[in-house]
Amino acid sequence: MDFAFKSDKEILAELGRRFKEARINSSFTQQELAKHTGVSRTTITRLEGGLGISLTHFIALIRAVDHINDLSKIINVRQFIDPEKEFKKQQAQSKRVRH
């Protein structure tokens, strides 16, 4: 599905539909998932119904249905850059370039 031209409401509905499918494939009922994650059944119903929930709850729920690694498909997480190492690297490069 191309989300570029979808409204927020349509995207939430699609996320809810996909989450419900993942939950069912993971053999969780809403009640079991709520107990397992500490996220209320009402929140799970909201997500599956295409309504907004907190990002914290969303992460807990997708982790429980074993889809947490799917986040890497939508979030390009860069390696942590150590500012001190980066500074030393730049200093070393500038020392090499003499005019």
Side-chain angles (χ1 to χ4, degrees):
M1 171 179 241
D2 183 7
F3 290 110
F5 299 106
K6 300 292 181 187
S7 69
D8 292 353
K9 188 175 180 178
E10 290 171 315
I11 292 169
L12 285 170
E14 181 63 18
L15 286 174
R17 186 193 66 72
R18 290 181 187 194
F19 176 78
K20 182 177 183 177
E21 184 178 308
R23 175 184 58 79
I24 291 168
N25 288 339
S26 295
S27 301
F28 277 114
T29 65
Q30 286 184 342
Q31 192 62 44
E32 290 168 338
L33 186 59
K35 187 175 180 180
H36 179 75
T37 61
V39 174
S40 74
R41 188 179 150 288
T42 302
T43 298
I44 296 168
T45 300
R46 287 181 56 80
L47 172 60
E48 292 181 359
L51 301 173
I53 65 169
S54 77
L55 189 54
T56 302
H57 287 152
F58 181 71
I59 290 168
L61 292 168
I62 62 170
R63 183 185 311 278
V65 297
D66 202 27
H67 280 270
I68 194 70
N69 288 328
D70 291 344
L71 285 178
S72 65
K73 295 176 186 172
I74 59 171
I75 301 172
N76 185 10
V77 180
R78 294 178 48 191
Q79 286 275 0
F80 173 77
I81 298 173
D82 182 341
E84 187 176 338
K85 285 183 182 178
E86 191 64 27
F87 178 73
K88 288 179 181 178
K89 181 179 167 185
Q90 288 175 358
Q91 280 186 325
Q93 288 174 344
S94 65
K95 287 181 183 177
R96 286 186 222 142
V97 179
R98 303 262 184 204
H99 299 283

